[in-house]
């Protein structure tokens, strides 16, 4: 919600920007963006669940990210601590989104993030569910602390 003020700075009323309800109800590729918009404008998880029938647990997780994005926008650039960067990256927030929130540019944000030591690491996917030894490693990137893809010692073929 946001409040409107007149020219003298007097608060007139609370205003909740309304997403188009049909955009929330109808499953489309853009619906997730409308859900995020609704959350940022005061809709509760329960209200969105009623309109979308999306699992409340998933909506709660999404709300956590939306709330964090609002919090990140309050941080002062470039004095943003490494933990804020790490948390943002774990939530999947891109350097472009962070730059927009801080009124900066993507390259400056990426450079600062790397200076603070916040870098992607790689983890292995256990393709055999620990029942057999896996000879073909599949990896995915994330922003956790341990890297499972350190280069092996020895000669490479």
């Amino acid at each position: 919600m946001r409040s409107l003020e007149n020219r003298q700075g007097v608060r007139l009323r609370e205003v909740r920007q309304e997403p188009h309800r049909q955009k929330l109800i109808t499953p489309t590729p853009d619906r997730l963006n409308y859900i995020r918009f609704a959350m940022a404008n005061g809709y509760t998880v329960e209200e969105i669940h009623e309109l979308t029938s999306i699992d409340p647990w998933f909506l709660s997780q999404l709300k956590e990210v939306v709330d964090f994005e609002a919090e990140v926008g309050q941080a002062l650039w470039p004095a943003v601590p490494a933990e804020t960067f790490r948390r943002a990256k774990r939530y999947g927030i891109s350097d472009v989104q962070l730059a927009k929130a801080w009124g900066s540019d993507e390259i400056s944000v990426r450079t600062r993030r790397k200076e603070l030591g916040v870098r992607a690491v790689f983890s292995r996917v256990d393709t055999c569910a620990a029942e057999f030894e896996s000879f073909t490693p599949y990896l995915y990137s994330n922003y956790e602390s341990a890297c499972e893809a350190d280069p092996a010692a020895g000669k490479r073929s």
Side-chain angles (χ1 to χ4, degrees):
M1 287 201 201
R2 64 187 177 110
S3 60
L4 295 177
E5 295 179 357
N6 65 13
R7 290 184 184 170
Q8 290 77 32
V10 176
R11 186 196 287 168
L12 299 173
R13 64 188 157 143
E14 293 291 319
V15 176
R16 180 162 96 168
Q17 290 185 351
E18 296 287 332
H20 196 277
R21 290 176 62 84
Q22 197 60 37
K23 298 284 188 181
L24 292 173
I25 294 168
T26 308
T28 66
D30 294 325
R31 182 161 75 161
L32 190 57
N33 291 325
Y34 287 104
I35 291 170
R36 290 171 49 118
F37 177 78
M39 287 178 169
N41 284 283
Y43 273 65
T44 66
V45 167
E46 294 76 26
E47 289 174 314
I48 296 171
H49 170 68
E50 288 297 318
L51 291 169
T52 64
S53 297
I54 294 174
D55 187 88
W57 178 87
F58 177 80
L59 293 173
S60 295
Q61 299 300 303
L62 185 59
K63 177 84 168 100
E64 194 175 312
V65 175
V66 169
D67 291 346
F68 179 72
E69 284 178 322
E71 182 184 318
V72 156
Q74 303 302 314
L76 298 175
W77 176 255
V80 179
E83 189 51 40
T84 299
F85 271 106
R86 193 167 286 107
R87 191 169 164 208
K89 298 311 283 182
R90 286 179 177 163
Y91 278 140
I93 301 171
S94 71
D95 290 340
V96 172
Q97 289 171 290
L98 291 172
K100 183 186 277 189
W102 294 325
S104 185
D105 63 280
E106 177 185 5
I107 301 301
S108 298
V109 169
R110 181 175 293 124
T111 300
R112 180 72 179 136
R113 177 176 54 78
K114 288 183 176 183
E115 285 171 359
L116 293 172
V118 180
R119 299 173 185 270
V121 296
F122 293 88
S123 298
R124 294 180 188 273
V125 175
D126 186 2
T127 57
C128 297
E131 291 187 32
F132 308 102
E133 183 177 359
S134 176
F135 295 103
T136 307
Y138 292 93
L139 305 170
Y140 64 95
S141 66
N142 60 68
Y143 283 86
E144 300 300 324
S145 54
C147 185
E148 299 176 357
D150 293 327
K155 187 177 179 181
R156 296 182 190 160
S157 49

